[in-house]
Amino acid sequence: MAENTFKVTIITPDGTVYDNEKVTMLVMNTVGGQMGIMANHVPLIAALEISTVRIKHSEGTDEVAAVNGGIIQFDGHNAIIAADSAEMPETIDVERAQKAKERSESAIAEAKKKHNQNDLSRAEVHLKRAINRLNAASKQRNI
């Protein structure tokens, strides 16, 4: 069974967010589209979108992590996700994420009204991150 598993580590500038050696599959959104990898997959490096990463285990359990951009490097036995920021659902403050979503939506409306492309782009990224955090918290409850 050990040959069907691999190690996944999610790191951020603040430290390690996730570390597990018994992962059977990892599903994530890259800039090229959604990708799933399993043990002994061809080595790869890919840029990640702001999205949830699904982590599957042999016991039939799944976990998710909210990953806000970054890269994944995989050598067939070890996956390292170096993310700008990442959170596991149990550490997400849902109320805070909801307020961030609402602030971002207001900032988007204001930027559109003022035709300010820089503020619009920044607010859209903040909105994606807030929605990603809310999605991760919601998905973990449904697994």
Side-chain angles (χ1 to χ4, degrees):
M1 182 79 107
E3 63 277 354
N4 294 329
T5 62
F6 61 98
K7 181 177 181 176
V8 174
T9 305
I10 301 174
I11 58 172
T12 69
D14 295 326
T16 302
V17 174
Y18 183 85
D19 193 28
N20 189 318
E21 296 181 2
K22 301 204 182 294
V23 175
T24 58
M25 186 173 190
L26 192 61
V27 180
M28 72 231 108
N29 292 326
T30 70
V31 294
Q34 190 174 62
M35 176 183 292
I37 58 173
M38 298 173 76
N40 303 313
H41 187 281
V42 150
L44 68 87
I45 296 176
L48 297 174
E49 293 281 342
I50 295 171
S51 67
T52 56
V53 172
R54 186 172 296 271
I55 305 160
K56 297 181 176 269
H57 303 280
S58 59
E59 307 88 41
T61 58
D62 289 359
E63 294 179 281
V64 294
V67 175
N68 294 317
I71 62 166
I72 179 168
Q73 177 183 350
F74 185 66
D75 67 5
H77 307 289
N78 298 293
I80 299 173
I81 295 174
D84 300 332
S85 65
E87 290 179 273
M88 299 307 291
E90 57 272 11
T91 65
I92 294 173
D93 182 339
V94 175
E95 185 177 323
R96 183 172 166 245
Q98 185 62 41
K99 287 179 182 176
K101 178 181 178 277
E102 292 165 5
R103 280 192 310 274
S104 298
E105 290 168 339
S106 294
I108 287 171
E110 187 67 24
K112 284 181 178 179
K113 191 182 341 176
K114 293 181 178 180
H115 303 288
N116 186 327
Q117 190 59 44
N118 288 336
D119 286 350
L120 178 61
S121 296
R122 194 173 305 114
E124 287 173 341
V125 169
H126 288 292
L127 179 61
K128 283 181 186 177
R129 287 181 175 201
I131 290 171
N132 187 39
R133 294 175 72 225
L134 292 168
N135 286 342
S138 170
K139 284 180 183 177
Q140 188 64 39
R141 285 192 299 269
N142 293 331
I143 291 179

